[in-house]
Amino acid sequence: MALFPAFRGTSTVKRDSSSKELDWLSNQSFRSGDALALHDIALEKAKEAEKGERKESSDKSCGRISGEESEGESGSGRHKKRKKKEKKKKHKKHKRKGGERSDSHDSDSETVYPSDLLRKEQEAQRPKTPAEVEVDRQGKFRWLDDLESAADGFFCLDRKADPANWQYKSLYRGDIARYKRKGNSSLGLDPRKQAVSWDEPGQENKKQRAERRPGRYFSSQARQLLRADALPSRPPPPGGDGAAQGPSPSASFIQLPSEESEGRAAKGAGSSVVNPLGVYDAGTALWLEGKGHAPAQPDQGPEKEKQGVEGAEARLTARVEELNRRVRENPTDTQGWLEFIRFQDELALWGAVPGGGGSEAEAERRRVSTRGALEKKLAVAERAVQSNPGCVELQLERLAACGELWEPAALLKEWKKLVFLHPNSAPLWRRYLRFCQGHFGTFSAAKAGAAYGKCLSTLAACADGTMLSHPPLPGVEEDMLDIFLQQCHFLRQTGHSEKAVCLFQGLLDFTFFKPDTVKDLPTRQQVDFFEPFWDSGEPRLGEKGARGWKSWMTQQERGGWLVPSETDEDEDEEGDDEEVKDKTLPKWRIWLDVESSREANHWLPWRPDKSKGQSEEDCEDPERQVLFDDIGPSMIRLTRPDLQLRLLCGFLQFLGLPVSAPTYSSHYLESLLLDDLALLQERPDPERPLTSFHPPSAGVAPVGRTGVLGGPCKQAGLCKAGEEFVHNVLQQISPLLALQDRALFHFSWLQYEKLKVLRCVHSRNKKRLRAQGKRSKRLAKHLLKEPDNRGRLDLWREYAHLEWLLGNLEEARKVFDTALGLGVSRGLKDPALCHLCLLYAQLETEEAWRAGEGRSSGAGTAAAASPAVHVLTKLAEEATYAPFSGQVAPVAILKARKSYEQAVEVCLAGLEAGRAKKGQHLAGLVGCYALFQYLTMGMDAANAVYRQARERLQLQASITQQKTVVNSSSTNANNVSIAMAADCEALAVQHAALLRHHTSTSVFPLVHLREALTAALTCLPTSAPLWHLYVQTEARYHSAGRARRFFHSVMKGGHSVVPYLFAVWAEQGRKELLDSVQRSGGQGETLPTLPENGLSNRIRSLFEVATGTEVGAQCPLLWRMYLKFMASEGNMERAKGIFYKALQNVPWAKGLYMDAVLLFPDSVTEFLDLMTEKELRLRAPMEEVEILIED
């Protein structure tokens, strides 16, 4: 049979003569009779369809083979598919029963007519012809196994046409083009008169429902609504149409209905069935009857939201227009340009895409939005710089915008260009140094150190006047000292402690031992004269036999001297002990121990001992030797005595001694230097509630303490060589200082000894405490034996407190009585005497509380028999002191109260008039008066004294601060402001400690303590003792909402990282408490606190917010706490991500790398290679540790 039926005859004639090879052109299974029968059936169906009672529409019937054929299986199949689609679109709201089917051809209606049913019955009763039976048989798909014989046929007729096979010339579905229609336009139609609707039925209702659906709280619409201005919300008057009238924004209050109107409304509603007693108003009665205006209320919500958003947008637009007009009319207005640049952040925040997860597309949108905002901000900054090329602040804003857009090399080049154009600007140098040491891509310790040297040498040239192109700016010496201290602590944090110590040694020698012949020379020439002394091998400051630069140069002019050979038999090498004590530990653990041990013992620079015949080649670690090229560029000239004193205080703080005076003037260094967890761990001692804040922690780790965060401290102070170094420094510097300054350093020395005793007390090691107590008492007696110190009451006070801490109460009382006998006649006018009596009275009060006496303070027998009241009374009498004999006269108490009241009033009046000269006088005087009132009258009287003094002192401090801002170059005003801030903090700590002690021993409202702490912390957000008291107070309650709100308010308005640290510390303490309760697992026990979920997420959110600020991003302590917290949660993958994120901000912190080695020991090689690449100090290479393990 031919493949083409139309030419069947031709193929039959030529079949015999054709070759056998052309059989593939013949279709053996095709039968011409079947084709003719199908054609006849199609013609009959067409004729019957034309005679039917109902005709199908032309647009629906054009695709069918015939009308009657569509009534068969193909038509019913299409109808079933269409019904399934409709059911899916309606979300399966209407379920069809199994037997219900509709065979109607009308797609727009489901109506069934009787004539259709009659015609269907007739067609069903009509017998089918053999051709129809054959068509039905061939139109069904069957399995090959079900065929009885080959005559049944292997093919099936598929009547469902697929136009895509003809259009795309392929049967593969991947070759068929698929698209989504964009828009409703159609080619060839007139858009004004004609249109095509492509929407399916019911789609409009879906769109309306989707538009009415409110967004979530994190959506952009919700965030914009929160930033929008609030609209006045007034309820409509009773019975009125609130939707028509609307709120009245001019009304200042909501007017209540009068009695007459209420009475009329009640009478009018009394006859109602729903209001039989007449107690409901008209609005309530209408609502009960179902006649209220509730349907109009939901429409007001979107309108109000729309009005709020539109109002905020209008406000932002008006602000943009105002700033544009301002800078256009006056292009030299730098303040206007700065406001315009910073306003771009607010605009970006308004239109920002909400973050916090989502798909990759949303993340990409956020990145594009952020980059667009930065580019816009950069464009505004560049326009501002073009109009004001000499403004440094605009240049800094421009570079800040470029930080995330430019490449590191281009950014570094731009920074160098900027500092070259403005070499006399100290704020610019600070930002440049922060970039050099904080940009991971371009950071290395050597490059950052060279940048510090370049900065100090350039500023010194400007201060000397040798740089003629740029004159010195006001306060350049103070700025140079701050940058020098920053450099020393930077070297300590990178591990280069030897260079930092040599910097201090060199500058102290350069400042205090300068020869008179070179004082008038420029700084650069003085450094040239100083270099021979440094390289001569003479003992330097802090070493035995050091005479100083001046003596050496004088002796050199006379012909030099011969250094005698001195052998120190008592000197023992600490390095002889075995560094690896347990070789079974893992290699990374041994490396941490060796590195920490060398950091604690080898921070002093190595010098060859000529008496032993040593030379520079004998040094095992060449990094311990410091050359003059490392310190020469950083030598600066300090001419002011207060700055010289600050330099000494900075060196003592660097060595670990507590210093009461501030060592740096700007808060810029605060976050950079904070790296000691003791700031948060040293909580108030419950055994010493009134005296546990002496001395407070500074939060800056001393030299030799670079190790793992929170690791145990094996030594109470420095190593043996370090203690000798401190002793030598104080002995060599003291003769060069004034009497007052010398006493200040001796006071810090005694406080350092007391701090070591306190650490031994907390460690509960009696042997170490006994040995340390002997050394500290010997030093205190030695200092008090000096003629200049015999009348120093502050030294007597520290010695007596030292004896009290060691447990020698009787000996301490004798020391106190001896000191009071020396100076009690000076009375209330002596600040040192006031502080001495205050400490004595506080210690006696604590001892009475521990002994079980005086738990409730009050006048009468308890006050008259108190040693503390006796001490405070003798202070006010200004007479000869006699030890406590057992009773205090009531008349003496009354006279002392009057004297205290008059003295405090005179002191406050003198402070307000500006006549106060001695610092911290007010804190001691008010403290004595308040404690006296507490012991004799009660807590209310003491609270009134503290409140009055605090209010007046804060008012005067704010006035002084305003004067300091106006006259920033005044050194005296700045010192007075610092002294007032110290007085405010001391008073607040005394007040809070006394309130806390009283609330823990008596029944007293806690609101007074909370108000005192919140008021003080609002003014002093950087005070660690106040934050400790606040955290302990709020930790007693299960509800943390109040504390969280207060933390948020302080963090929102402050510029310090300390509130963030304590907020995190408070949440971590709460989490530890809950974890310990849940771990107890006691069956049947009542839990003391309720479990709280989400604390881990809250702590992580606090860390993210803190590290997102400028001060938090550069704080090493904050990043190390974040890393440790994430590791404690068990999320090591995310913790490692936090480590690498921290490296982008604080790559210089060696302690961060050591924490990473402890938490991720598998990557120790990677971390050590990274430290080597960044040129951090690596004291124990891994190869050396392996050799130590083998030996």
Side-chain angles (χ1 to χ4, degrees):
M1 186 63 64
L3 184 62
F4 306 101
F7 301 94
R8 174 175 173 270
T10 306
S11 62
T12 305
V13 174
K14 296 182 178 180
R15 177 178 178 83
D16 297 334
S17 61
S18 63
S19 175
K20 297 287 186 179
E21 298 176 358
L22 300 179
D23 291 342
W24 61 274
L25 291 174
S26 300
N27 190 353
Q28 303 296 333
S29 62
F30 180 79
R31 291 188 293 272
S32 59
D34 297 340
L36 295 175
L38 288 174
H39 184 64
D40 296 339
I41 292 174
L43 292 177
E44 292 176 2
K45 295 288 184 180
K47 293 179 181 179
E48 291 179 2
E50 292 178 357
K51 298 178 181 180
E53 296 179 357
R54 290 179 57 88
K55 296 181 180 181
E56 295 181 350
S57 58
S58 60
D59 57 341
K60 299 295 182 181
S61 62
C62 61
R64 296 190 180 91
I65 298 176
S66 64
E68 292 299 328
E69 185 176 327
S70 64
E71 292 179 1
E73 296 177 0
S74 177
S76 61
R78 292 185 181 181
H79 187 68
K80 291 178 183 179
K81 291 181 180 179
R82 184 171 64 253
K83 297 301 293 181
K84 288 181 180 180
K85 291 182 180 178
E86 291 178 359
K87 283 190 285 185
K88 288 182 180 179
K89 291 179 182 178
K90 294 181 181 179
H91 301 282
K92 299 183 179 179
K93 290 184 179 179
H94 305 285
K95 296 183 178 179
R96 296 175 58 88
K97 296 182 180 180
E100 294 181 352
R101 298 185 185 276
S102 176
D103 296 332
S104 175
H105 299 291
D106 191 3
S107 62
D108 298 330
S109 176
E110 296 293 335
T111 307
V112 180
Y113 297 94
S115 59
D116 296 338
L117 296 177
L118 182 60
R119 181 172 53 82
K120 289 179 181 180
E121 291 179 0
Q122 293 177 358
E123 291 179 357
Q125 294 177 1
R126 183 176 62 85
K128 296 183 179 180
T129 61
E132 291 178 351
V133 172
E134 182 66 19
V135 169
D136 293 341
R137 184 183 65 82
Q138 292 184 1
K140 295 181 180 178
F141 289 93
R142 293 181 296 175
W143 294 99
L144 185 63
D145 298 338
D146 296 339
L147 298 178
E148 297 178 359
S149 63
D152 293 341
F154 297 97
F155 296 93
C156 175
L157 298 179
D158 188 5
R159 300 179 181 87
K160 183 179 179 181
D162 190 1
N165 296 338
W166 299 338
Q167 295 175 4
Y168 298 100
K169 308 298 181 182
S170 175
L171 299 177
Y172 177 53
R173 62 180 178 83
D175 295 338
I176 300 175
R178 300 179 183 273
Y179 63 93
K180 293 183 179 179
R181 177 171 293 278
K182 300 294 184 181
N184 297 326
S185 63
S186 181
L187 187 64
L189 297 181
D190 188 358
R192 296 173 295 179
K193 299 179 181 181
Q194 298 172 322
V196 177
S197 178
W198 305 97
D199 297 335
E200 297 182 2
Q203 193 170 359
E204 297 180 357
N205 298 332
K206 289 184 178 181
K207 289 185 177 180
Q208 293 177 1
R209 288 196 299 268
E211 291 176 357
R212 289 196 300 267
R213 183 178 181 181
R216 298 294 302 277
Y217 66 94
F218 52 79
S219 62
S220 58
Q221 293 83 1
R223 292 161 67 94
Q224 291 179 1
L225 184 63
L226 288 175
R227 303 188 200 103
D229 297 335
L231 294 177
S233 178
R234 310 276 191 218
D241 190 1
Q245 297 178 4
S248 176
S250 61
S252 60
F253 63 95
I254 301 176
Q255 185 177 4
L256 298 177
S258 60
E259 296 180 359
E260 296 179 359
S261 61
E262 289 182 354
R264 288 194 300 268
K267 290 179 181 179
S271 59
S272 177
V273 180
V274 298
N275 189 14
L277 300 179
V279 296
Y280 299 140
D281 58 357
T284 307
L286 288 174
W287 181 81
L288 292 174
E289 294 177 3
K291 300 178 181 179
H293 300 278
Q297 297 296 330
D299 295 337
Q300 296 180 2
E303 292 295 331
K304 289 185 178 180
E305 294 180 2
K306 185 177 180 181
Q307 292 177 8
V309 174
E310 290 179 354
E313 291 179 353
R315 179 179 59 83
L316 291 177
T317 304
R319 179 62 174 165
V320 171
E321 293 177 357
E322 177 189 354
L323 291 173
N324 270 305
R325 183 175 59 257
R326 181 177 173 183
V327 298
R328 183 175 61 251
E329 295 175 354
N330 187 10
T332 59
D333 184 8
T334 57
Q335 190 63 31
W337 281 111
L338 288 172
E339 293 179 7
F340 198 11
I341 293 172
R342 290 161 186 168
F343 184 68
Q344 302 304 316
D345 298 332
E346 185 177 352
L347 287 177
L349 183 64
W350 173 262
V353 180
S359 62
E360 296 181 0
E362 294 178 357
E364 182 65 23
R365 286 176 57 200
R366 286 193 294 272
R367 286 193 292 268
V368 171
S369 176
T370 304
R371 185 174 182 85
L374 288 174
E375 290 177 351
K376 188 176 180 181
K377 185 177 180 180
L378 178 59
V380 177
E382 288 179 348
R383 284 184 54 197
V385 170
Q386 290 176 2
S387 302
N388 305 272
C391 183
V392 178
E393 293 184 4
L394 291 177
Q395 296 277 6
L396 292 176
E397 291 291 341
R398 174 174 170 267
L399 287 177
C402 297
E404 300 182 13
L405 297 176
W406 289 4
E407 294 295 330
L411 196 60
L412 180 60
K413 183 179 179 181
E414 195 68 21
W415 270 110
K416 291 181 177 180
K417 178 181 176 182
L418 187 58
V419 296
F420 177 76
L421 296 176
H422 306 276
N424 59 343
S425 176
L428 178 59
W429 277 108
R430 284 200 187 100
R431 296 287 294 271
Y432 174 61
L433 294 173
R434 174 67 184 91
F435 169 79
C436 290
Q437 75 178 60
H439 199 273
F440 180 78
T442 59
F443 167 76
S444 71
K447 292 180 181 178
Y452 274 104
K454 179 67 175 177
C455 167
L456 291 174
S457 60
T458 305
L459 290 178
C462 293
D464 293 339
T466 55
M467 184 174 288
L468 303 178
S469 59
H470 293 81
L473 298 179
V476 64
E477 283 193 22
E478 196 169 1
D479 293 331
M480 286 193 297
L481 179 58
D482 286 342
I483 294 174
F484 176 82
L485 294 175
Q486 180 182 347
Q487 180 186 8
C488 294
H489 284 282
F490 164 75
L491 292 173
R492 175 185 60 82
Q493 291 174 343
T494 57
H496 296 277
S497 303
E498 300 91 347
K499 293 183 180 179
V501 173
C502 283
L503 277 174
F504 274 115
Q505 284 181 308
L507 190 56
L508 288 173
D509 235 324
F510 191 76
T511 302
F512 291 97
F513 298 93
K514 186 179 297 183
D516 298 334
T517 56
V518 300
K519 284 185 177 180
D520 298 332
L521 297 177
T523 305
R524 189 70 263 164
Q525 296 183 14
Q526 293 182 13
V527 172
D528 293 338
F529 280 101
F530 183 67
E531 183 176 0
F533 164 72
W534 187 266
D535 294 335
S536 63
E538 291 297 323
R540 302 165 185 167
L541 182 67
E543 300 176 1
K544 290 185 178 181
R547 300 177 178 89
W549 179 25
K550 182 177 181 180
S551 301
W552 176 85
M553 195 167 181
T554 303
Q555 194 64 27
Q556 287 293 319
E557 293 175 356
R558 297 177 182 176
W561 60 54
L562 180 64
V563 179
S565 59
E566 299 177 358
T567 57
D568 298 330
E569 299 178 356
D570 298 335
E571 184 177 357
D572 297 330
E573 291 291 338
E574 297 181 6
D576 295 342
D577 300 336
E578 292 185 1
E579 292 182 316
V580 182
K581 298 181 180 180
D582 189 0
K583 297 183 180 180
T584 60
L585 295 175
K587 189 186 300 182
W588 61 270
R589 181 76 254 184
I590 296 176
W591 178 85
L592 277 178
D593 295 340
V594 173
E595 187 73 17
S596 301
S597 174
R598 293 186 179 182
E599 279 283 347
N601 298 318
H602 295 170
W603 52 269
L604 284 172
W606 187 87
R607 299 288 305 281
D609 191 352
K610 296 181 179 180
S611 61
K612 298 180 180 180
Q614 294 179 351
S615 62
E616 296 180 356
E617 287 77 10
D618 296 331
C619 182
E620 298 179 355
D621 188 1
E623 292 290 335
R624 295 187 64 186
Q625 300 185 45
V626 182
L627 304 178
F628 186 77
D629 295 338
D630 298 327
I631 69 168
S634 300
M635 294 295 102
I636 58 177
R637 183 165 57 175
L638 301 175
T639 57
R640 285 167 41 185
D642 58 330
L643 296 182
Q644 296 177 359
L645 183 63
R646 274 183 50 198
L647 173 62
L648 276 173
C649 292
F651 187 35
L652 295 182
Q653 186 184 29
F654 179 84
L655 295 175
L657 275 70
V659 179
S660 57
T663 57
Y664 44 87
S665 59
S666 63
H667 294 287
Y668 171 78
L669 296 178
E670 184 184 57
S671 59
L672 288 173
L673 304 186
L674 286 179
D675 56 353
D676 191 7
L677 197 60
L679 178 71
L680 305 174
Q681 288 180 339
E682 292 183 357
R683 304 175 181 178
D685 190 358
E687 296 294 329
R688 302 182 298 113
L690 300 178
T691 60
S692 59
F693 303 100
H694 303 285
S697 176
V700 180
V703 63
R705 295 288 179 85
T706 303
V708 179
L709 185 68
C713 183
K714 301 179 181 179
Q715 300 174 348
L718 299 173
C719 59
K720 182 178 179 181
E723 293 293 339
E724 294 179 357
F725 181 78
V726 172
H727 181 83
N728 294 333
V729 167
L730 293 175
Q731 289 289 343
Q732 295 166 10
I733 285 289
S734 295
L736 304 176
L737 301 176
L739 184 61
Q740 189 71 20
D741 297 339
R742 190 186 312 163
L744 176 63
F745 282 99
H746 289 166
F747 176 75
S748 297
W749 199 353
L750 278 183
Q751 278 195 328
Y752 177 60
E753 296 295 328
K754 185 174 68 175
L755 183 62
K756 291 191 290 184
V757 170
L758 274 174
R759 290 171 181 169
C760 294
V761 170
H762 293 158
S763 65
R764 302 184 184 278
N765 191 333
K766 295 183 179 180
K767 182 178 180 181
R768 184 185 296 179
L769 177 61
R770 192 180 304 111
Q772 183 61 46
K774 289 182 179 180
R775 290 193 296 267
S776 300
K777 288 169 60 176
R778 189 185 311 117
L779 175 64
K781 292 178 180 179
H782 173 72
L783 292 177
L784 286 173
K785 286 180 180 179
E786 295 184 4
D788 297 332
N789 295 333
R790 291 177 182 177
R792 304 292 306 182
L793 296 181
D794 51 356
L795 299 183
W796 283 96
R797 174 167 64 96
E798 293 302 316
Y799 175 45
H801 195 193
L802 182 63
E803 291 283 2
W804 198 287
L805 291 175
L806 290 172
N808 307 325
L809 302 187
E810 294 300 326
E811 187 68 24
R813 288 191 177 100
K814 291 180 181 179
V815 176
F816 273 120
D817 293 340
T818 303
L820 288 174
L822 293 175
V824 75
S825 59
R826 305 172 190 173
L828 299 173
K829 298 179 182 180
D830 189 0
L833 183 61
C834 291
H835 283 284
L836 175 67
C837 294
L838 176 61
L839 179 61
Y840 193 9
Q842 288 174 341
L843 292 173
E844 290 290 355
T845 304
E846 291 174 352
E847 184 63 26
W849 168 68
R850 282 192 291 268
E853 304 173 1
R855 288 189 176 273
S856 58
S857 61
T861 307
S866 173
V869 176
H870 171 75
V871 172
L872 296 174
T873 304
K874 289 297 181 181
L875 172 64
E877 288 180 355
E878 300 183 4
T880 305
Y881 178 79
F884 179 64
S885 59
Q887 195 70 22
V888 181
V891 178
I893 295 177
L894 294 176
K895 290 182 179 180
R897 182 177 297 115
K898 190 65 176 179
S899 300
Y900 276 120
E901 184 178 354
Q902 293 178 357
V904 170
E905 183 63 30
V906 169
C907 184
L908 288 173
L911 188 65
E912 293 173 355
R915 297 191 302 267
K917 296 182 180 179
K918 296 183 179 180
Q920 304 225 343
H921 183 202
L922 183 63
L925 178 60
V926 174
C928 291
Y929 183 28
L931 185 59
F932 179 79
Q933 291 288 85
Y934 171 71
L935 295 174
T936 56
M937 296 185 64
M939 191 63 232
D940 293 333
N943 200 15
V945 172
Y946 275 122
R947 187 183 297 110
Q948 178 188 5
R950 186 193 63 201
E951 291 175 356
R952 296 178 65 176
L953 186 59
Q954 287 180 356
L955 178 61
Q956 186 62 26
S958 62
I959 296 174
T960 307
Q961 184 68 23
Q962 294 177 0
K963 294 180 180 179
T964 305
V965 172
V966 173
N967 189 11
S968 59
S969 60
S970 177
T971 305
N972 188 19
N974 191 18
N975 294 337
V976 172
S977 177
I978 294 175
M980 284 189 177
D983 275 343
C984 288
E985 183 177 1
L987 279 178
V989 171
Q990 293 174 11
H991 188 195
L994 186 61
L995 280 170
R996 176 171 170 77
H997 171 66
H998 184 70
T999 52
S1000 61
T1001 57
S1002 305
V1003 179
F1004 192 72
L1006 195 66
V1007 64
H1008 299 288
L1009 174 58
R1010 186 178 293 114
E1011 288 179 354
L1013 286 172
T1014 53
L1017 285 171
T1018 304
C1019 301
L1020 302 167
T1022 60
S1023 176
L1026 290 176
W1027 280 119
H1028 277 298
L1029 288 170
Y1030 181 77
V1031 170
Q1032 283 191 353
T1033 302
E1034 294 294 342
R1036 298 169 57 183
Y1037 300 93
H1038 305 322
S1039 176
R1042 183 190 300 108
R1044 288 167 180 168
R1045 289 191 297 270
F1046 179 70
F1047 271 116
H1048 178 71
S1049 64
V1050 176
M1051 291 185 297
K1052 186 178 180 180
H1055 301 282
S1056 174
V1057 74
V1058 176
Y1060 291 100
L1061 292 173
F1062 277 95
V1064 171
W1065 189 255
E1067 295 295 342
Q1068 286 183 338
R1070 178 175 293 274
K1071 186 176 184 301
E1072 290 177 3
L1073 175 63
L1074 295 179
D1075 292 345
S1076 63
V1077 169
Q1078 293 176 359
R1079 282 195 303 267
S1080 61
Q1083 298 294 333
E1085 297 181 0
T1086 302
L1087 298 179
T1089 182
L1090 296 175
E1092 184 176 353
N1093 296 325
L1095 274 178
S1096 299
N1097 296 331
R1098 179 177 293 275
I1099 296 173
R1100 186 165 58 250
S1101 176
L1102 282 175
F1103 274 121
E1104 287 293 336
V1105 172
T1107 54
T1109 60
E1110 184 179 0
V1111 293
Q1114 59 189 11
C1115 180
L1117 178 60
L1118 184 64
W1119 284 108
R1120 296 177 69 182
M1121 290 175 59
Y1122 194 7
L1123 176 62
K1124 185 177 180 181
F1125 169 74
M1126 292 305 301
S1128 65
E1129 291 293 306
N1131 195 347
M1132 305 307 294
E1133 187 71 23
R1134 189 161 186 175
K1136 203 165 188 178
I1138 294 301
F1139 167 70
Y1140 287 111
K1141 186 178 178 180
L1143 288 183
Q1144 303 295 325
N1145 295 275
V1146 287
W1148 71 87
K1150 181 182 177 181
L1152 182 66
Y1153 296 85
M1154 300 183 72
D1155 293 341
V1157 171
L1158 178 65
L1159 299 175
F1160 316 107
D1162 297 337
S1163 305
V1164 58
T1165 306
E1166 176 187 352
F1167 299 148
L1168 295 186
D1169 293 343
L1170 195 59
M1171 291 176 63
T1172 306
E1173 177 186 352
K1174 296 303 177 182
E1175 299 181 353
L1176 301 184
R1177 183 76 163 91
L1178 191 60
R1179 299 180 181 272
M1182 189 58 71
E1183 295 79 8
E1184 184 178 353
V1185 172
E1186 294 175 355
I1187 294 175
L1188 292 175
I1189 295 175
E1190 293 175 359
D1191 295 342

